[in-house]
Amino acid sequence: MNLKIQAAEQQNIKIALDLSIPEKMDISSFDLAIILGNLLDNAIEAVAELEKERQIKTKINYDKGRLIILVENPYQGERVKVGNRYLTTNKEPSQHGLGLENVKSVLQKYDGSMDINQRSNIFSVSLLLFV
């Protein structure tokens, strides 16, 4: 998280955190890094294109064996979805576009689910994992 917060701050992007998690959970730090790394990378990339509203909202809560992660960010332009997959907006598409697929792979290990919404130029990804 600290690396992503620093990367965002270097681009004048604020990450608003709302955390309510125990010190220890039954999820590997590697899996958590894949999830948060990919979601925050995507959000930082989208917000970096904006002149205003340069903030990412991140909420992580744990309750009774359920880990809920929400990442919301404003964006501009169009996000194209083909089937169940969003296409990358990066100028080097061969190097990108697998982040959400990596997140889905981790979710399968924890019988988790992902919900993606786009409304009023806000891109929102919410995850539910059973840990």
Side-chain angles (χ1 to χ4, degrees):
M1 285 292 297
N2 286 334
L3 286 174
K4 298 305 174 191
I5 291 170
Q6 289 174 356
E9 286 175 349
Q10 288 174 354
Q11 297 185 56
N12 293 321
I13 299 169
K14 182 181 180 200
I15 296 183
L17 292 173
D18 179 0
L19 303 175
S20 179
I21 56 174
E23 245 182 75
K24 293 191 180 205
M25 292 183 290
D26 199 16
I27 183 173
S28 83
S29 58
F30 182 74
D31 288 342
L32 205 49
I34 288 172
I35 290 170
L36 293 173
N38 282 297
L39 294 181
L40 291 174
D41 281 346
N42 290 348
I44 290 168
E45 186 177 311
V47 174
E49 298 174 354
L50 302 175
E51 291 182 28
K52 298 188 267 184
E53 299 182 59
R54 296 174 62 88
Q55 179 173 314
I56 299 165
K57 294 179 184 175
T58 304
K59 189 173 188 176
I60 306 172
N61 289 308
Y62 177 83
D63 184 42
K64 299 177 184 170
R66 294 176 300 175
L67 181 64
I68 300 166
I69 300 172
L70 173 67
V71 177
E72 287 186 339
N73 61 274
Y75 69 95
Q76 66 183 6
E78 187 179 350
R79 299 299 181 253
V80 179
K81 187 176 179 181
V82 175
N84 289 334
R85 188 171 177 182
Y86 282 87
L87 301 181
T88 183
T89 59
N90 197 287
K91 292 171 180 42
E92 294 292 331
S94 64
Q95 303 298 314
H96 300 275
L98 300 175
L100 289 177
E101 294 303 313
N102 291 335
V103 171
K104 286 178 187 177
S105 294
V106 173
L107 287 175
Q108 289 177 348
K109 292 166 71 173
Y110 299 93
D111 293 322
S113 61
M114 175 167 44
D115 186 38
I116 300 174
N117 286 301
Q118 300 176 73
R119 66 186 185 296
S120 304
N121 284 350
I122 299 292
F123 195 87
S124 172
V125 180
S126 59
L127 308 177
L128 171 64
L129 295 88
F130 297 95
V131 296

